[in-house]
Amino acid sequence: MRYRIKEYRLKRGMTIEHLARAAGITRTYLSLIENGKADNISTKVLVRIASALDTKVDDLLESVNFSSKDC
């Protein structure tokens, strides 16, 4: 699963360190999440990240658009 965390973080002018601190996670873990390399991210962590970004978890989920050609 990919997330739009980095996009939201940059739009808000936050550094990775600032967001990690605000969400109560390590900078390394946040980097893994942003780069799609973290497995089994808990809902609790996603809620804390979304809260720190002043958004909803749903907004952080990467939308995938399929066209009829893809089927």
Side-chain angles (χ1 to χ4, degrees), residues 3 43-51 55-62:
Y3 301 96
T43 303
K44 182 178 178 179
V45 167
L46 287 175
V47 168
R48 290 181 359 207
I49 292 170
S51 178
T55 193
K56 300 176 292 191
V57 172
D58 288 350
D59 294 335
L60 299 179
L61 300 178
E62 184 173 81

PDB file of all heavy atoms in Angstrom, residues 3 43-51 55-62:
ATOM      1  N   TYR A   3       1.182   5.462   0.304  1.00  0.00           N
ATOM      2  CA  TYR A   3       0.520   6.574   0.980  1.00  0.00           C
ATOM      3  C   TYR A   3       1.015   7.899   0.413  1.00  0.00           C
ATOM      4  O   TYR A   3       2.109   7.977  -0.128  1.00  0.00           O
ATOM      5  CB  TYR A   3       0.799   6.520   2.491  1.00  0.00           C
ATOM      6  CG  TYR A   3       0.334   5.240   3.112  1.00  0.00           C
ATOM      7  CD1 TYR A   3       1.222   4.187   3.305  1.00  0.00           C
ATOM      8  CD2 TYR A   3      -0.992   5.061   3.469  1.00  0.00           C
ATOM      9  CE1 TYR A   3       0.787   2.989   3.847  1.00  0.00           C
ATOM     10  CE2 TYR A   3      -1.423   3.869   4.012  1.00  0.00           C
ATOM     11  CZ  TYR A   3      -0.535   2.835   4.204  1.00  0.00           C
ATOM     12  OH  TYR A   3      -0.969   1.659   4.732  1.00  0.00           O
ATOM     13  N   THR A  43      -2.875   0.972  12.136  1.00  0.00           N
ATOM     14  CA  THR A  43      -3.877   2.023  11.994  1.00  0.00           C
ATOM     15  C   THR A  43      -3.569   3.159  12.957  1.00  0.00           C
ATOM     16  O   THR A  43      -3.718   4.334  12.611  1.00  0.00           O
ATOM     17  CB  THR A  43      -5.286   1.461  12.263  1.00  0.00           C
ATOM     18  OG1 THR A  43      -5.521   0.387  11.359  1.00  0.00           O
ATOM     19  CG2 THR A  43      -6.351   2.516  12.089  1.00  0.00           C
ATOM     20  N   LYS A  44      -3.110   2.811  14.140  1.00  0.00           N
ATOM     21  CA  LYS A  44      -2.776   3.814  15.149  1.00  0.00           C
ATOM     22  C   LYS A  44      -1.713   4.784  14.636  1.00  0.00           C
ATOM     23  O   LYS A  44      -1.832   6.003  14.803  1.00  0.00           O
ATOM     24  CB  LYS A  44      -2.287   3.120  16.424  1.00  0.00           C
ATOM     25  CG  LYS A  44      -1.961   4.035  17.557  1.00  0.00           C
ATOM     26  CD  LYS A  44      -1.531   3.232  18.786  1.00  0.00           C
ATOM     27  CE  LYS A  44      -1.153   4.137  19.930  1.00  0.00           C
ATOM     28  NZ  LYS A  44      -0.756   3.374  21.124  1.00  0.00           N
ATOM     29  N   VAL A  45      -0.681   4.262  13.988  1.00  0.00           N
ATOM     30  CA  VAL A  45       0.381   5.111  13.435  1.00  0.00           C
ATOM     31  C   VAL A  45      -0.176   5.979  12.309  1.00  0.00           C
ATOM     32  O   VAL A  45       0.122   7.179  12.238  1.00  0.00           O
ATOM     33  CB  VAL A  45       1.577   4.264  12.960  1.00  0.00           C
ATOM     34  CG1 VAL A  45       2.536   5.092  12.115  1.00  0.00           C
ATOM     35  CG2 VAL A  45       2.301   3.655  14.141  1.00  0.00           C
ATOM     36  N   LEU A  46      -0.985   5.415  11.439  1.00  0.00           N
ATOM     37  CA  LEU A  46      -1.570   6.202  10.348  1.00  0.00           C
ATOM     38  C   LEU A  46      -2.462   7.320  10.882  1.00  0.00           C
ATOM     39  O   LEU A  46      -2.444   8.439  10.360  1.00  0.00           O
ATOM     40  CB  LEU A  46      -2.366   5.305   9.408  1.00  0.00           C
ATOM     41  CG  LEU A  46      -1.534   4.392   8.514  1.00  0.00           C
ATOM     42  CD1 LEU A  46      -2.440   3.463   7.719  1.00  0.00           C
ATOM     43  CD2 LEU A  46      -0.639   5.194   7.586  1.00  0.00           C
ATOM     44  N   VAL A  47      -3.210   7.034  11.929  1.00  0.00           N
ATOM     45  CA  VAL A  47      -4.070   8.055  12.538  1.00  0.00           C
ATOM     46  C   VAL A  47      -3.214   9.174  13.134  1.00  0.00           C
ATOM     47  O   VAL A  47      -3.533  10.359  12.982  1.00  0.00           O
ATOM     48  CB  VAL A  47      -4.997   7.424  13.602  1.00  0.00           C
ATOM     49  CG1 VAL A  47      -5.673   8.483  14.454  1.00  0.00           C
ATOM     50  CG2 VAL A  47      -6.039   6.531  12.935  1.00  0.00           C
ATOM     51  N   ARG A  48      -2.116   8.817  13.781  1.00  0.00           N
ATOM     52  CA  ARG A  48      -1.234   9.832  14.373  1.00  0.00           C
ATOM     53  C   ARG A  48      -0.575  10.690  13.299  1.00  0.00           C
ATOM     54  O   ARG A  48      -0.444  11.905  13.456  1.00  0.00           O
ATOM     55  CB  ARG A  48      -0.194   9.174  15.276  1.00  0.00           C
ATOM     56  CG  ARG A  48      -0.854   8.617  16.521  1.00  0.00           C
ATOM     57  CD  ARG A  48       0.007   7.945  17.541  1.00  0.00           C
ATOM     58  NE  ARG A  48       1.423   7.836  17.305  1.00  0.00           N
ATOM     59  CZ  ARG A  48       2.176   6.875  17.806  1.00  0.00           C
ATOM     60  NH1 ARG A  48       1.650   5.939  18.563  1.00  0.00           N
ATOM     61  NH2 ARG A  48       3.467   6.846  17.570  1.00  0.00           N
ATOM     62  N   ILE A  49      -0.175  10.075  12.195  1.00  0.00           N
ATOM     63  CA  ILE A  49       0.405  10.834  11.090  1.00  0.00           C
ATOM     64  C   ILE A  49      -0.646  11.767  10.484  1.00  0.00           C
ATOM     65  O   ILE A  49      -0.378  12.953  10.249  1.00  0.00           O
ATOM     66  CB  ILE A  49       0.990   9.894  10.015  1.00  0.00           C
ATOM     67  CG1 ILE A  49       2.215   9.154  10.570  1.00  0.00           C
ATOM     68  CG2 ILE A  49       1.350  10.671   8.746  1.00  0.00           C
ATOM     69  CD1 ILE A  49       2.713   8.027   9.677  1.00  0.00           C
ATOM     70  N   ALA A  50      -1.830  11.237  10.233  1.00  0.00           N
ATOM     71  CA  ALA A  50      -2.905  12.057   9.660  1.00  0.00           C
ATOM     72  C   ALA A  50      -3.235  13.228  10.577  1.00  0.00           C
ATOM     73  O   ALA A  50      -3.414  14.359  10.109  1.00  0.00           O
ATOM     74  CB  ALA A  50      -4.142  11.199   9.409  1.00  0.00           C
ATOM     75  N   SER A  51      -3.303  12.965  11.858  1.00  0.00           N
ATOM     76  CA  SER A  51      -3.591  14.024  12.822  1.00  0.00           C
ATOM     77  C   SER A  51      -2.513  15.098  12.799  1.00  0.00           C
ATOM     78  O   SER A  51      -2.815  16.296  12.792  1.00  0.00           O
ATOM     79  CB  SER A  51      -3.714  13.420  14.226  1.00  0.00           C
ATOM     80  OG  SER A  51      -3.936  14.427  15.172  1.00  0.00           O
ATOM     81  N   THR A  55      -5.233  16.110   8.648  1.00  0.00           N
ATOM     82  CA  THR A  55      -6.028  15.527   7.570  1.00  0.00           C
ATOM     83  C   THR A  55      -6.587  14.190   8.043  1.00  0.00           C
ATOM     84  O   THR A  55      -6.406  13.803   9.197  1.00  0.00           O
ATOM     85  CB  THR A  55      -5.185  15.377   6.286  1.00  0.00           C
ATOM     86  OG1 THR A  55      -6.048  15.094   5.198  1.00  0.00           O
ATOM     87  CG2 THR A  55      -4.123  14.309   6.415  1.00  0.00           C
ATOM     88  N   LYS A  56      -7.279  13.484   7.158  1.00  0.00           N
ATOM     89  CA  LYS A  56      -7.840  12.166   7.476  1.00  0.00           C
ATOM     90  C   LYS A  56      -6.972  11.077   6.854  1.00  0.00           C
ATOM     91  O   LYS A  56      -6.308  11.310   5.848  1.00  0.00           O
ATOM     92  CB  LYS A  56      -9.258  12.040   6.901  1.00  0.00           C
ATOM     93  CG  LYS A  56     -10.239  13.076   7.426  1.00  0.00           C
ATOM     94  CD  LYS A  56     -11.575  12.932   6.744  1.00  0.00           C
ATOM     95  CE  LYS A  56     -11.394  13.336   5.291  1.00  0.00           C
ATOM     96  NZ  LYS A  56     -12.585  13.500   4.521  1.00  0.00           N
ATOM     97  N   VAL A  57      -7.023   9.902   7.458  1.00  0.00           N
ATOM     98  CA  VAL A  57      -6.268   8.766   6.926  1.00  0.00           C
ATOM     99  C   VAL A  57      -6.659   8.513   5.477  1.00  0.00           C
ATOM    100  O   VAL A  57      -5.797   8.254   4.635  1.00  0.00           O
ATOM    101  CB  VAL A  57      -6.477   7.505   7.795  1.00  0.00           C
ATOM    102  CG1 VAL A  57      -5.860   6.282   7.136  1.00  0.00           C
ATOM    103  CG2 VAL A  57      -5.890   7.707   9.182  1.00  0.00           C
ATOM    104  N   ASP A  58      -7.941   8.598   5.171  1.00  0.00           N
ATOM    105  CA  ASP A  58      -8.415   8.366   3.800  1.00  0.00           C
ATOM    106  C   ASP A  58      -7.699   9.268   2.796  1.00  0.00           C
ATOM    107  O   ASP A  58      -7.422   8.863   1.667  1.00  0.00           O
ATOM    108  CB  ASP A  58      -9.918   8.596   3.685  1.00  0.00           C
ATOM    109  CG  ASP A  58     -10.741   7.514   4.350  1.00  0.00           C
ATOM    110  OD1 ASP A  58     -10.163   6.483   4.750  1.00  0.00           O
ATOM    111  OD2 ASP A  58     -11.951   7.700   4.466  1.00  0.00           O
ATOM    112  N   ASP A  59      -7.393  10.501   3.215  1.00  0.00           N
ATOM    113  CA  ASP A  59      -6.713  11.436   2.312  1.00  0.00           C
ATOM    114  C   ASP A  59      -5.286  10.994   2.011  1.00  0.00           C
ATOM    115  O   ASP A  59      -4.713  11.394   0.999  1.00  0.00           O
ATOM    116  CB  ASP A  59      -6.692  12.840   2.908  1.00  0.00           C
ATOM    117  CG  ASP A  59      -8.078  13.446   3.024  1.00  0.00           C
ATOM    118  OD1 ASP A  59      -8.977  13.041   2.251  1.00  0.00           O
ATOM    119  OD2 ASP A  59      -8.261  14.316   3.891  1.00  0.00           O
ATOM    120  N   LEU A  60      -4.702  10.211   2.910  1.00  0.00           N
ATOM    121  CA  LEU A  60      -3.319   9.777   2.742  1.00  0.00           C
ATOM    122  C   LEU A  60      -3.179   8.544   1.861  1.00  0.00           C
ATOM    123  O   LEU A  60      -2.085   8.224   1.430  1.00  0.00           O
ATOM    124  CB  LEU A  60      -2.679   9.486   4.105  1.00  0.00           C
ATOM    125  CG  LEU A  60      -2.615  10.663   5.069  1.00  0.00           C
ATOM    126  CD1 LEU A  60      -1.990  10.225   6.379  1.00  0.00           C
ATOM    127  CD2 LEU A  60      -1.846  11.832   4.472  1.00  0.00           C
ATOM    128  N   LEU A  61      -4.282   7.857   1.607  1.00  0.00           N
ATOM    129  CA  LEU A  61      -4.234   6.664   0.768  1.00  0.00           C
ATOM    130  C   LEU A  61      -4.057   7.080  -0.681  1.00  0.00           C
ATOM    131  O   LEU A  61      -4.745   7.965  -1.176  1.00  0.00           O
ATOM    132  CB  LEU A  61      -5.508   5.840   0.919  1.00  0.00           C
ATOM    133  CG  LEU A  61      -5.810   5.327   2.314  1.00  0.00           C
ATOM    134  CD1 LEU A  61      -7.133   4.579   2.313  1.00  0.00           C
ATOM    135  CD2 LEU A  61      -4.702   4.439   2.816  1.00  0.00           C
ATOM    136  N   GLU A  62      -3.129   6.462  -1.350  1.00  0.00           N
ATOM    137  CA  GLU A  62      -2.886   6.780  -2.753  1.00  0.00           C
ATOM    138  C   GLU A  62      -4.040   6.253  -3.584  1.00  0.00           C
ATOM    139  O   GLU A  62      -4.371   5.082  -3.505  1.00  0.00           O
ATOM    140  CB  GLU A  62      -1.576   6.155  -3.218  1.00  0.00           C
ATOM    141  CG  GLU A  62      -1.218   6.532  -4.630  1.00  0.00           C
ATOM    142  CD  GLU A  62       0.166   6.032  -4.988  1.00  0.00           C
ATOM    143  OE1 GLU A  62       0.281   4.851  -5.314  1.00  0.00           O
ATOM    144  OE2 GLU A  62       1.098   6.828  -4.925  1.00  0.00           O
TER     145      GLU A  62
END
